Amino acid sequence: MSGKRIVLLFILMGVLVGIILLLNTPTTSYGSVLNTGETGISILYAMFGPEIATDLGEIEGAWSNSTVAILVSDKPLSKDTYVKISNLAEKGGMVIYAGDYDSISVFLKEVGLDDAVVAERIYDPIVNSGGDKRRVIAISSYGTSLVLEPSYYFNPHHSKLMWVANSSQYSFVDTNGNGFYDIGEPIGSYVVVALIRIGKGGVLLISDPGVFTNKHVWENYAFLRNITSSASKIVIIQTPDALENNIDYLKISLHKYGVNRLLPLIIALIIVIGVWYAMEGE
């Protein structure tokens, strides 16, 4: 076996082993089904076993008025993604969108509802989770409660919004952003989950991207189970713009089609062929 072929073989083996390690390590993207940390939604994915949509266009044909899609994002997405979300809602069913202020406000602007959201944090010193006023307990119209950290709230007087969950009457708007109640700051019940009707369906907006992440999903399991109980199909949206980088998108795409399970076998076969090729040179 020639020296050059040995070197090439080891380089090939090193590259292939590196690819296996890279594609089989958990992702770090917020709201990723392969992120097993606090900001991922791997538990949600395992819990419901839904489909993964890496391209919203590919699920449009099979979309029905009983389909539910879930999107978790801590950043604004592309205009194309927001247009496709609206198109899906037009056909019926529901898109559940848990996002931060920037992501939700951009979406609302795209659908012509610029004034539907207020960028001020809600705290509740009385009705909260574990004595933490940031962890607001909201009561929903579905008959269940959910725990969230609302960094904004929805305009209760907007004609195109339907309230779905409100904070308690003891919550307050932190207008000066100091994290405490100050005299003059509004006290009352605020809309923290709202529904926009679009065509035959709607988009359910949740004012905290963390409600369904691994850290908090069990607190909100009953709420999620309730709003998806009549769904014929559940889809988790994992578009490239919702993830941190292209590597994470590649990992999810391979996972979606089951390629990640076959990858070690494929790579082992390539190595065997490489060894055979190298020995042929003897």
Side-chain angles (χ1 to χ4, degrees):
M1 185 184 298
S2 67
K4 286 184 178 180
R5 292 197 176 195
I6 293 175
V7 171
L8 288 174
L9 177 61
F10 276 101
I11 291 174
L12 174 64
M13 291 174 65
V15 170
L16 294 178
V17 169
I19 291 173
I20 290 179
L21 293 174
L22 177 65
L23 296 180
N24 284 277
T25 53
T27 68
T28 57
S29 290
Y30 196 104
S32 165
V33 297
L34 298 184
N35 181 349
T36 57
E38 291 186 345
T39 61
I41 56 172
S42 58
I43 295 176
L44 171 67
Y45 180 58
M47 189 186 297
F48 287 90
E51 294 184 16
I52 297 174
T54 52
D55 179 0
L56 296 183
E58 68 187 12
I59 63 171
E60 192 168 354
W63 188 268
S64 72
N65 58 8
S66 59
T67 303
V68 172
I70 301 173
L71 171 61
V72 174
S73 177
D74 66 341
K75 61 179 182 177
L77 307 182
S78 68
K79 181 175 181 177
D80 180 64
T81 295
Y82 288 142
V83 168
K84 288 178 178 177
I85 288 174
S86 298
N87 290 342
L88 292 175
E90 284 273 359
K91 300 179 67 174
M94 179 188 295
V95 177
I96 302 171
Y97 187 0
D100 64 356
Y101 173 77
D102 289 337
S103 57
I104 295 295
S105 61
V106 171
F107 170 73
L108 288 171
K109 184 177 181 180
E110 290 294 339
V111 296
L113 302 178
D114 305 52
D115 56 344
V117 63
V118 182
E120 292 177 326
R121 181 174 289 277
I122 302 294
Y123 291 102
D124 196 322
I126 306 297
V127 184
N128 57 49
S129 176
D132 186 348
K133 66 178 182 290
R134 297 172 300 175
R135 304 288 297 146
V136 174
I137 297 178
I139 306 301
S140 78
S141 57
Y142 290 94
T144 52
S145 62
L146 72 160
V147 182
L148 69 169
E149 297 182 20
S151 58
Y152 57 95
Y153 63 96
F154 299 100
N155 183 349
H157 306 296
H158 202 289
S159 60
K160 294 187 178 181
L161 287 182
M162 297 175 58
W163 79 271
V164 173
N166 283 24
S167 61
S168 82
Q169 61 182 324
Y170 305 106
S171 60
F172 67 90
V173 180
D174 186 23
T175 55
N176 62 10
N178 67 356
F180 299 94
Y181 174 73
D182 295 292
I183 295 175
E185 290 183 325
I187 299 175
S189 180
Y190 295 92
V191 180
V192 291
V193 180
L195 177 68
I196 305 174
R197 286 291 183 189
I198 302 177
K200 298 178 181 179
V203 180
L204 186 72
L205 303 172
I206 303 177
S207 61
D208 177 10
V211 289
F212 303 136
T213 57
N214 295 334
K215 185 177 181 180
H216 300 300
V217 66
W218 289 113
E219 291 180 301
N220 298 304
Y221 173 78
F223 173 78
L224 185 57
R225 176 62 73 181
N226 202 327
I227 61 178
T228 59
S229 59
S230 60
S232 61
K233 181 167 64 175
I234 300 175
V235 180
I236 292 186
I237 297 173
Q238 299 278 271
T239 51
D241 51 350
L243 302 170
E244 287 183 3
N245 53 62
N246 291 332
I247 295 297
D248 283 359
Y249 178 67
L250 176 61
K251 290 179 183 179
I252 289 173
S253 297
L254 291 173
H255 175 83
K256 173 184 174 181
Y257 295 109
V259 178
N260 61 320
R261 300 187 188 96
L262 297 174
L263 196 60
L265 180 61
I266 294 171
I267 288 179
L269 181 61
I270 293 174
I271 290 175
V272 169
I273 293 172
V275 170
W276 175 83
Y277 172 75
M279 293 181 67
E280 280 291 294
E282 291 183 352

